[in-house]
Amino acid sequence: MQLLSQEDMESEQLKIPVRDRITDIESHITNLQRMQTFLEALLMTSEKDIHNYIQSFRNHKEE
Protein backbone atom coordinates (compact mmCIF):
# COMPACT_ATOMS: atom_id res chain seq x y z
CA MET A 1 0.00 0.00 0.00
CA GLN A 2 2.78 2.40 0.87
CA LEU A 3 4.58 1.69 -2.43
CA LEU A 4 1.44 2.46 -4.37
CA SER A 5 1.11 5.73 -2.54
CA GLN A 6 4.73 6.66 -3.32
CA GLU A 7 4.29 5.85 -7.01
CA ASP A 8 1.20 8.02 -7.21
CA MET A 9 3.05 10.85 -5.53
CA GLU A 10 6.00 10.52 -7.91
CA SER A 11 3.64 10.51 -10.85
CA GLU A 12 2.02 13.72 -9.63
CA GLN A 13 5.44 15.28 -9.05
CA LEU A 14 6.43 14.46 -12.62
CA LYS A 15 3.27 16.05 -13.97
CA ILE A 16 4.04 19.42 -12.39
CA PRO A 17 6.83 20.46 -14.79
CA VAL A 18 4.78 19.19 -17.72
CA ARG A 19 1.83 21.37 -16.67
CA ASP A 20 4.20 24.32 -16.21
CA ARG A 21 5.63 23.80 -19.69
CA ILE A 22 2.15 23.61 -21.19
CA THR A 23 1.31 26.92 -19.51
CA ASP A 24 4.50 28.48 -20.93
CA ILE A 25 3.69 27.22 -24.42
CA GLU A 26 0.11 28.52 -24.22
CA SER A 27 1.46 31.91 -23.20
CA HIS A 28 3.84 31.95 -26.16
CA ILE A 29 1.02 30.97 -28.50
CA THR A 30 -1.13 33.82 -27.18
CA ASN A 31 1.70 36.30 -27.66
CA LEU A 32 2.34 35.08 -31.21
CA GLN A 33 -1.37 35.36 -32.04
CA ARG A 34 -1.42 38.94 -30.75
CA MET A 35 1.67 39.76 -32.80
CA GLN A 36 0.08 38.22 -35.88
CA THR A 37 -3.05 40.33 -35.40
CA PHE A 38 -0.93 43.46 -35.01
CA LEU A 39 1.12 42.70 -38.12
CA GLU A 40 -2.00 41.94 -40.15
CA ALA A 41 -3.39 45.31 -39.11
CA LEU A 42 -0.17 46.99 -40.21
CA LEU A 43 -0.48 45.39 -43.63
CA MET A 44 -3.96 46.87 -43.94
CA THR A 45 -2.69 50.41 -43.28
CA SER A 46 -3.11 52.60 -46.34
CA GLU A 47 -0.13 54.11 -48.15
CA LYS A 48 -1.53 57.57 -47.42
CA ASP A 49 -1.68 56.88 -43.66
CA ILE A 50 1.87 55.54 -43.69
CA HIS A 51 3.09 58.59 -45.61
CA ASN A 52 1.30 60.97 -43.19
CA TYR A 53 2.75 59.12 -40.21
CA ILE A 54 6.31 59.33 -41.52
CA GLN A 55 5.79 62.95 -42.54
CA SER A 56 4.66 63.84 -39.00
CA PHE A 57 8.12 62.89 -37.71
CA ARG A 58 9.83 64.95 -40.40
CA ASN A 59 7.65 67.95 -39.63
CA HIS A 60 8.29 67.59 -35.93
CA LYS A 61 12.09 67.63 -36.48
CA GLU A 62 11.91 70.86 -38.47
CA GLU A 63 10.15 72.75 -35.66
Side-chain angles (χ1 to χ4, degrees):
M1 192 76 161
Q2 189 178 8
L3 280 175
L4 218 88
S5 172
Q6 285 179 344
E7 285 181 24
D8 287 344
M9 192 170 96
E10 287 176 14
S11 173
E12 282 304 310
Q13 290 292 73
L14 290 171
K15 289 179 181 180
I16 292 171
V18 172
R19 286 188 190 112
D20 290 345
R21 188 66 181 130
I22 289 171
T23 301
D24 290 344
I25 291 169
E26 288 171 341
S27 176
H28 287 286
I29 289 170
T30 300
N31 289 336
L32 288 170
Q33 288 171 331
R34 287 178 182 160
M35 186 183 302
Q36 180 182 13
T37 300
F38 173 74
L39 292 172
E40 287 171 344
L42 284 177
L43 287 175
M44 296 176 72
T45 305
S46 72
E47 290 289 324
K48 181 181 177 185
D49 288 343
I50 293 170
H51 177 74
N52 289 340
Y53 180 75
I54 292 170
Q55 194 62 36
S56 71
F57 286 102
R58 291 182 181 148
N59 291 341
H60 186 70
K61 271 187 168 180
E62 293 172 4
E63 291 176 1

